[in-house]
Each structure stands twice: as structure tokens, then as C-alpha cells.
Amino acid sequence: MGDKIRIGALISGGGTNLQAIIDACEDGRIDGEMAFVGSDQAGVKGLERARRHEIPGFVVEYGPFIRAYKQAPGQFELPRDFDIADALAKQHLFGDDAPEERTREFLCTRAAAESRLLAEIDARGPVDLLVLAGFMRNLTPYFVDRFNTDTNNPRIMNIHPAILPSFPGVDGYGDTFRYGCKVGGCTVHFIDYGEDSGPIIGQRAFPILETDTLDDVKHKGLEQEWQLYPECIQHFAQKRLKTVKMTHTLDNGQVYQRTVVKIAQE
Ligand code: GRF
């Protein structure tokens, strides 16, 4: 067993993935220890789980920032190191056809909340990895750049309830089920500047039967998530993950690039 990594988690709700990660740290399936659990919602069960395991917790609510901007955009206090032009150029959360004012409002309000998040994180000492475990907020380039200080070694992970790139967004299992898919799944990936779009670390699939309800699909999916997330985190702890850009040339001469997370053998 190598040295333990320090892991921070962000949540918004029940935190069943958080629990799976805590349990894996405690029983040695992850060479890591939990440094903090942050939430954008007060009073959620995930914070109670953290308390029970004596993991420091904190809350940063986004609502006050969003309301303050709507009331007086001209007086809205932005983080000193926030550069709106840089954030607009890098972000993939909104397409070019989205109204710029909407994108601007989103980036400014989120960066202000993220600046508070970063301060709370810093106050708890350095962490090696940040895991999003049911955190229902998109992180902007402002946060991502400040946390991922080494661009070649991303260190923010997310779990998504669908086989990406299908069904990004807030309701992966619901979208999979409503589409009539025969297979559902979940994905662990690194965060980039888009929504559920970063390099894929691991995926799990499960069959969807004609008799399954949406609740059955969610149940099957979560059982896969609770195994997949700790496994991917342990690969990170063992320093086995390497994000590489690969260039391919087709027979017709067309060249394309893809980003692959390679997992080194143990
Ligand atoms: C999970 O399906 C996760 O993939 C998604 O949010 C759901 C709730 O997770 N991001 P949890 O029980 O709060 O960990």
C-alpha cells in the first residue's frame, strides 16, 4: 500500500456515493482519507454522513450570489482574480447560440460562489483529489483552473448516471429510461470546461428490462456507481491514471484527436 492521498468531496444531497467512498477509504480499498465534505445545500444527508465519520464539513450556498447579481448586476462583487473574457473564451457549458448576457451572468455568479468554495477548501489544507459526488452545480473555468494547477494532471473527478457522451445533464437515468434504451450505465470522468464532457476514466453498464421501472434503473445504476467510483479513485491514488492526447489518421488521410485516460497495470 502506498501513501494515502487526501480527498475532498463536494455534494448536494443524499451522498450515497460519498458513503461508498468513505467506506472504501476506511476498509482500505482506497489508499486515501477524506479531508472535507462541502455542500451547496445546507441540511442534506450527505453532511450528516460526514459528521458521523468525523470529516469536516462546510456549506456554500449559491442562491445569495445569484440573487445579488439579479438585483444589482452593476454592483456585483466579482473575485479579484476573475477574468470574464478568459472564462467566456474557455467555457463549453453554453453554445455560441446562447445569449451572451445569460452566459455572463452564469459565469459571474458561479465564479463568486466558487471563490468562496476555494477559500473553504484552502482552509482545510491541500488535497490531492476533489471528487464531485452528486454535486449538482457545473464548475466554471475559474474554479477548474485554480484547482487543476497542473493542466496535464487533472484532479477533479465526477460521476455521471449515464454512459457518456449520451445523456449529459441533470437526469441521466431518467433520460436513458425515457429514450427506451436497452442498456444503462454510469461514467466516472475528469472535469473539463464543459458539462459532463471531460476525459473518461471508467464506465459500467447494466441491462434495462422491459419490465423495469425508472426506480429499478436508478437502483441498478447506483449499485454500479458505488463500485465504480471507489475503483477509479483507487487508480488515481495509485498514480496509475495518465491523460494522453492521441492522434489518429484514417485511411482517407483525415486526422482526428481524442483524449484518453490510460490506466497503467498494477
Ligand atoms: C447519482 O446518480 C450520481 O451519479 C449523480 O447524483 C446521483 C445522486 O448521488 N451525480 P448521491 O446518492 O448523492 O451520491
Side-chain angles (χ1 to χ4, degrees):
M1 195 178 89
D3 289 341
K4 285 190 174 186
I5 59 164
R6 275 170 54 85
I7 304 167
L10 295 180
I11 60 163
S12 296
T16 63
N17 277 289
L18 170 69
Q19 188 67 56
I21 295 165
I22 294 171
D23 292 347
C25 287
E26 289 186 353
D27 68 23
R29 280 174 294 130
I30 295 177
D31 299 334
E33 60 185 16
M34 295 301 302
F36 66 80
V37 174
S39 173
D40 67 326
Q41 308 284 334
V44 292
K45 190 166 173 198
L47 286 171
E48 174 54 30
R49 293 179 195 274
R51 257 192 304 278
R52 262 194 268 136
H53 291 265
E54 294 175 4
I55 301 164
F58 63 83
V59 177
V60 174
E61 287 181 333
Y62 279 44
F65 295 99
I66 296 166
R67 282 193 292 278
Y69 186 96
K70 284 195 192 306
Q71 272 165 19
Q75 286 159 38
F76 188 74
E77 208 175 313
L78 289 165
R80 280 169 194 273
D81 57 347
F82 176 64
D83 177 350
I84 182 68
D86 182 64
L88 279 168
K90 285 176 176 166
Q91 70 84 27
H92 295 160
L93 297 164
F94 299 91
D96 291 342
D97 51 346
E100 190 180 317
E101 189 38 49
R102 169 79 192 103
T103 309
R104 218 171 246 279
E105 174 185 328
F106 184 90
L107 294 171
C108 290
T109 52
R110 274 28 172 211
E114 288 170 353
S115 167
R116 188 71 59 80
L117 266 183
L118 287 163
E120 294 285 353
I121 291 172
D122 278 355
R124 280 149 188 97
V127 289
D128 301 286
L129 176 69
L130 181 65
V131 295
L132 310 183
F135 184 59
M136 303 306 281
R137 301 280 179 181
N138 283 310
L139 295 170
T140 74
Y142 174 77
F143 184 98
V144 174
D145 285 352
R146 272 149 197 80
F147 197 86
N148 278 341
T149 39
D150 174 358
T151 45
N152 293 319
N153 289 304
R155 55 193 190 105
I156 310 172
M157 269 187 202
N158 182 41
I159 187 148
H160 181 75
I163 302 181
L164 291 171
S166 293
F167 310 120
V170 293
D171 191 14
Y173 292 136
D175 292 339
T176 303
F177 181 73
R178 284 186 289 273
Y179 199 87
C181 293
K182 305 284 188 192
V183 171
C186 53
T187 303
V188 172
H189 64 98
F190 284 120
I191 288 290
D192 67 2
Y193 298 141
E195 182 175 21
D196 303 322
S197 59
I200 290 171
I201 302 163
Q203 293 182 305
R204 285 285 182 92
F206 57 86
I208 298 176
L209 310 178
E210 282 165 23
T211 48
D212 278 345
T213 63
L214 176 54
D215 276 347
D216 294 331
V217 169
K218 285 184 178 165
H219 184 73
K220 288 185 192 182
L222 278 169
E223 286 203 326
Q224 297 295 327
E225 292 185 36
W226 301 331
Q227 293 174 32
L228 178 67
Y229 216 175
E231 278 174 22
C232 292
I233 294 169
Q234 174 64 347
H235 293 332
F236 182 94
Q238 293 175 318
K239 302 193 174 20
R240 290 168 59 199
L241 301 182
K242 197 169 166 39
T243 307
V244 288
K245 279 205 168 66
M246 299 174 77
T247 304
H248 302 265
T249 308
L250 301 180
D251 288 346
N252 65 7
Q254 197 187 332
V255 177
Y256 69 93
Q257 269 209 336
R258 62 186 186 132
T259 303
V260 175
V261 179
K262 290 193 170 179
I263 306 175
Q265 295 296 314
E266 267 182 286

mmCIF file of all heavy atoms in Angstrom, residues 90-112:
data_model
loop_
_atom_site.group_PDB
_atom_site.id
_atom_site.type_symbol
_atom_site.label_atom_id
_atom_site.label_comp_id
_atom_site.label_asym_id
_atom_site.label_seq_id
_atom_site.Cartn_x
_atom_site.Cartn_y
_atom_site.Cartn_z
ATOM 1 N N LYS A 90 -13.047 30.166 -22.620
ATOM 2 C CA LYS A 90 -12.751 28.757 -22.311
ATOM 3 C C LYS A 90 -13.994 27.892 -22.144
ATOM 4 O O LYS A 90 -13.955 26.695 -22.398
ATOM 5 C CB LYS A 90 -11.942 28.685 -21.017
ATOM 6 C CG LYS A 90 -10.502 29.095 -21.173
ATOM 7 C CD LYS A 90 -9.814 29.077 -19.827
ATOM 8 C CE LYS A 90 -8.333 29.397 -19.978
ATOM 9 N NZ LYS A 90 -7.733 29.714 -18.655
ATOM 10 N N GLN A 91 -15.099 28.474 -21.662
ATOM 11 C CA GLN A 91 -16.234 27.646 -21.243
ATOM 12 C C GLN A 91 -16.899 26.903 -22.411
ATOM 13 O O GLN A 91 -16.978 27.420 -23.515
ATOM 14 C CB GLN A 91 -17.261 28.507 -20.489
ATOM 15 C CG GLN A 91 -18.017 29.509 -21.334
ATOM 16 C CD GLN A 91 -19.232 28.919 -22.033
ATOM 17 O OE1 GLN A 91 -19.820 27.943 -21.558
ATOM 18 N NE2 GLN A 91 -19.612 29.516 -23.153
ATOM 19 N N HIS A 92 -17.337 25.648 -22.120
ATOM 20 C CA HIS A 92 -18.127 24.872 -23.087
ATOM 21 C C HIS A 92 -19.490 24.552 -22.515
ATOM 22 O O HIS A 92 -20.152 23.625 -22.959
ATOM 23 C CB HIS A 92 -17.447 23.525 -23.394
ATOM 24 C CG HIS A 92 -16.141 23.635 -24.086
ATOM 25 N ND1 HIS A 92 -15.214 22.621 -24.097
ATOM 26 C CD2 HIS A 92 -15.602 24.643 -24.794
ATOM 27 C CE1 HIS A 92 -14.152 22.998 -24.764
ATOM 28 N NE2 HIS A 92 -14.355 24.230 -25.196
ATOM 29 N N LEU A 93 -19.892 25.310 -21.490
ATOM 30 C CA LEU A 93 -21.166 24.985 -20.843
ATOM 31 C C LEU A 93 -22.341 25.466 -21.674
ATOM 32 O O LEU A 93 -23.411 24.873 -21.680
ATOM 33 C CB LEU A 93 -21.216 25.642 -19.450
ATOM 34 C CG LEU A 93 -20.152 25.142 -18.465
ATOM 35 C CD1 LEU A 93 -20.008 26.082 -17.286
ATOM 36 C CD2 LEU A 93 -20.502 23.739 -17.990
ATOM 37 N N PHE A 94 -22.147 26.567 -22.396
ATOM 38 C CA PHE A 94 -23.191 27.135 -23.257
ATOM 39 C C PHE A 94 -22.644 27.211 -24.669
ATOM 40 O O PHE A 94 -21.468 27.545 -24.871
ATOM 41 C CB PHE A 94 -23.554 28.560 -22.807
ATOM 42 C CG PHE A 94 -24.095 28.614 -21.409
ATOM 43 C CD1 PHE A 94 -23.243 28.803 -20.338
ATOM 44 C CD2 PHE A 94 -25.451 28.472 -21.158
ATOM 45 C CE1 PHE A 94 -23.727 28.844 -19.035
ATOM 46 C CE2 PHE A 94 -25.943 28.521 -19.865
ATOM 47 C CZ PHE A 94 -25.079 28.702 -18.798
ATOM 48 N N GLY A 95 -23.514 26.956 -25.651
ATOM 49 C CA GLY A 95 -23.114 27.037 -27.051
ATOM 50 C C GLY A 95 -23.017 28.483 -27.519
ATOM 51 O O GLY A 95 -23.435 29.411 -26.813
ATOM 52 N N ASP A 96 -22.461 28.663 -28.719
ATOM 53 C CA ASP A 96 -22.306 30.009 -29.280
ATOM 54 C C ASP A 96 -23.650 30.701 -29.490
ATOM 55 O O ASP A 96 -23.732 31.923 -29.550
ATOM 56 C CB ASP A 96 -21.574 29.949 -30.634
ATOM 57 C CG ASP A 96 -20.126 29.539 -30.434
ATOM 58 O OD1 ASP A 96 -19.641 29.650 -29.288
ATOM 59 O OD2 ASP A 96 -19.506 29.087 -31.420
ATOM 60 N N ASP A 97 -24.727 29.892 -29.617
ATOM 61 C CA ASP A 97 -26.039 30.476 -29.878
ATOM 62 C C ASP A 97 -26.738 30.951 -28.596
ATOM 63 O O ASP A 97 -27.784 31.593 -28.653
ATOM 64 C CB ASP A 97 -26.934 29.465 -30.627
ATOM 65 C CG ASP A 97 -26.969 28.118 -29.930
ATOM 66 O OD1 ASP A 97 -26.119 27.882 -29.039
ATOM 67 O OD2 ASP A 97 -27.848 27.302 -30.274
ATOM 68 N N ALA A 98 -26.141 30.657 -27.424
ATOM 69 C CA ALA A 98 -26.767 31.101 -26.164
ATOM 70 C C ALA A 98 -26.608 32.615 -26.026
ATOM 71 O O ALA A 98 -25.581 33.166 -26.408
ATOM 72 C CB ALA A 98 -26.099 30.403 -24.980
ATOM 73 N N PRO A 99 -27.627 33.303 -25.465
ATOM 74 C CA PRO A 99 -27.492 34.754 -25.272
ATOM 75 C C PRO A 99 -26.289 35.065 -24.383
ATOM 76 O O PRO A 99 -26.154 34.474 -23.310
ATOM 77 C CB PRO A 99 -28.796 35.143 -24.564
ATOM 78 C CG PRO A 99 -29.679 33.960 -24.610
ATOM 79 C CD PRO A 99 -28.866 32.756 -24.946
ATOM 80 N N GLU A 100 -25.415 35.986 -24.830
ATOM 81 C CA GLU A 100 -24.181 36.219 -24.086
ATOM 82 C C GLU A 100 -24.449 36.712 -22.661
ATOM 83 O O GLU A 100 -23.723 36.368 -21.732
ATOM 84 C CB GLU A 100 -23.253 37.189 -24.823
ATOM 85 C CG GLU A 100 -21.893 37.185 -24.122
ATOM 86 C CD GLU A 100 -20.852 38.090 -24.737
ATOM 87 O OE1 GLU A 100 -20.745 38.106 -25.971
ATOM 88 O OE2 GLU A 100 -20.166 38.784 -23.970
ATOM 89 N N GLU A 101 -25.518 37.525 -22.505
ATOM 90 C CA GLU A 101 -25.806 38.051 -21.163
ATOM 91 C C GLU A 101 -26.099 36.922 -20.177
ATOM 92 O O GLU A 101 -25.681 36.953 -19.017
ATOM 93 C CB GLU A 101 -26.975 39.047 -21.226
ATOM 94 C CG GLU A 101 -27.221 39.808 -19.943
ATOM 95 C CD GLU A 101 -25.934 40.219 -19.180
ATOM 96 O OE1 GLU A 101 -24.986 40.780 -19.770
ATOM 97 O OE2 GLU A 101 -25.892 39.943 -17.958
ATOM 98 N N ARG A 102 -26.782 35.888 -20.664
ATOM 99 C CA ARG A 102 -27.095 34.729 -19.805
ATOM 100 C C ARG A 102 -25.798 33.995 -19.402
ATOM 101 O O ARG A 102 -25.597 33.626 -18.243
ATOM 102 C CB ARG A 102 -28.052 33.801 -20.566
ATOM 103 C CG ARG A 102 -28.271 32.444 -19.960
ATOM 104 C CD ARG A 102 -29.263 32.488 -18.798
ATOM 105 N NE ARG A 102 -29.247 31.230 -18.051
ATOM 106 C CZ ARG A 102 -28.642 31.060 -16.872
ATOM 107 N NH1 ARG A 102 -28.001 32.048 -16.288
ATOM 108 N NH2 ARG A 102 -28.690 29.890 -16.260
ATOM 109 N N THR A 103 -24.939 33.806 -20.384
ATOM 110 C CA THR A 103 -23.667 33.109 -20.124
ATOM 111 C C THR A 103 -22.822 33.912 -19.134
ATOM 112 O O THR A 103 -22.237 33.382 -18.200
ATOM 113 C CB THR A 103 -22.889 32.916 -21.446
ATOM 114 O OG1 THR A 103 -23.766 32.319 -22.397
ATOM 115 C CG2 THR A 103 -21.678 32.033 -21.261
ATOM 116 N N ARG A 104 -22.770 35.234 -19.368
ATOM 117 C CA ARG A 104 -22.029 36.146 -18.495
ATOM 118 C C ARG A 104 -22.548 36.067 -17.050
ATOM 119 O O ARG A 104 -21.768 35.943 -16.105
ATOM 120 C CB ARG A 104 -22.282 37.566 -19.017
ATOM 121 C CG ARG A 104 -21.152 38.491 -18.973
ATOM 122 C CD ARG A 104 -21.556 39.742 -19.738
ATOM 123 N NE ARG A 104 -20.752 39.867 -20.918
ATOM 124 C CZ ARG A 104 -19.527 40.374 -20.912
ATOM 125 N NH1 ARG A 104 -19.004 40.822 -19.802
ATOM 126 N NH2 ARG A 104 -18.814 40.438 -22.009
ATOM 127 N N GLU A 105 -23.861 36.136 -16.913
ATOM 128 C CA GLU A 105 -24.466 36.076 -15.574
ATOM 129 C C GLU A 105 -24.097 34.761 -14.886
ATOM 130 O O GLU A 105 -23.721 34.735 -13.714
ATOM 131 C CB GLU A 105 -26.000 36.196 -15.683
ATOM 132 C CG GLU A 105 -26.700 36.003 -14.353
ATOM 133 C CD GLU A 105 -28.225 36.005 -14.469
ATOM 134 O OE1 GLU A 105 -28.768 36.698 -15.347
ATOM 135 O OE2 GLU A 105 -28.861 35.294 -13.670
ATOM 136 N N PHE A 106 -24.191 33.678 -15.658
ATOM 137 C CA PHE A 106 -23.867 32.361 -15.105
ATOM 138 C C PHE A 106 -22.417 32.334 -14.621
ATOM 139 O O PHE A 106 -22.127 31.954 -13.480
ATOM 140 C CB PHE A 106 -24.090 31.280 -16.172
ATOM 141 C CG PHE A 106 -23.876 29.888 -15.656
ATOM 142 C CD1 PHE A 106 -24.925 29.161 -15.115
ATOM 143 C CD2 PHE A 106 -22.611 29.305 -15.676
ATOM 144 C CE1 PHE A 106 -24.721 27.880 -14.607
ATOM 145 C CE2 PHE A 106 -22.400 28.030 -15.170
ATOM 146 C CZ PHE A 106 -23.454 27.322 -14.639
ATOM 147 N N LEU A 107 -21.497 32.765 -15.472
ATOM 148 C CA LEU A 107 -20.068 32.688 -15.132
ATOM 149 C C LEU A 107 -19.724 33.584 -13.943
ATOM 150 O O LEU A 107 -18.941 33.204 -13.075
ATOM 151 C CB LEU A 107 -19.212 33.049 -16.348
ATOM 152 C CG LEU A 107 -19.301 32.069 -17.526
ATOM 153 C CD1 LEU A 107 -18.584 32.635 -18.745
ATOM 154 C CD2 LEU A 107 -18.711 30.708 -17.153
ATOM 155 N N CYS A 108 -20.319 34.792 -13.910
ATOM 156 C CA CYS A 108 -20.013 35.732 -12.811
ATOM 157 C C CYS A 108 -20.544 35.220 -11.477
ATOM 158 O O CYS A 108 -19.823 35.213 -10.468
ATOM 159 C CB CYS A 108 -20.613 37.106 -13.096
ATOM 160 S SG CYS A 108 -19.783 37.970 -14.435
ATOM 161 N N THR A 109 -21.796 34.778 -11.456
ATOM 162 C CA THR A 109 -22.381 34.348 -10.185
ATOM 163 C C THR A 109 -21.700 33.069 -9.694
ATOM 164 O O THR A 109 -21.402 32.935 -8.500
ATOM 165 C CB THR A 109 -23.894 34.105 -10.309
ATOM 166 O OG1 THR A 109 -24.137 33.231 -11.420
ATOM 167 C CG2 THR A 109 -24.642 35.403 -10.527
ATOM 168 N N ARG A 110 -21.416 32.145 -10.628
ATOM 169 C CA ARG A 110 -20.772 30.892 -10.211
ATOM 170 C C ARG A 110 -19.351 31.152 -9.746
ATOM 171 O O ARG A 110 -18.885 30.580 -8.769
ATOM 172 C CB ARG A 110 -20.767 29.872 -11.351
ATOM 173 C CG ARG A 110 -22.025 29.000 -11.504
ATOM 174 C CD ARG A 110 -23.270 29.617 -11.035
ATOM 175 N NE ARG A 110 -24.478 28.871 -11.347
ATOM 176 C CZ ARG A 110 -25.645 29.448 -11.557
ATOM 177 N NH1 ARG A 110 -25.788 30.772 -11.499
ATOM 178 N NH2 ARG A 110 -26.715 28.715 -11.802
ATOM 179 N N ALA A 111 -18.625 32.048 -10.436
ATOM 180 C CA ALA A 111 -17.239 32.327 -10.022
ATOM 181 C C ALA A 111 -17.215 32.915 -8.608
ATOM 182 O O ALA A 111 -16.332 32.596 -7.808
ATOM 183 C CB ALA A 111 -16.563 33.269 -11.005
ATOM 184 N N ALA A 112 -18.200 33.770 -8.291
ATOM 185 C CA ALA A 112 -18.246 34.354 -6.950
ATOM 186 C C ALA A 112 -18.472 33.248 -5.897
ATOM 187 O O ALA A 112 -17.791 33.216 -4.862
ATOM 188 C CB ALA A 112 -19.346 35.404 -6.866
#
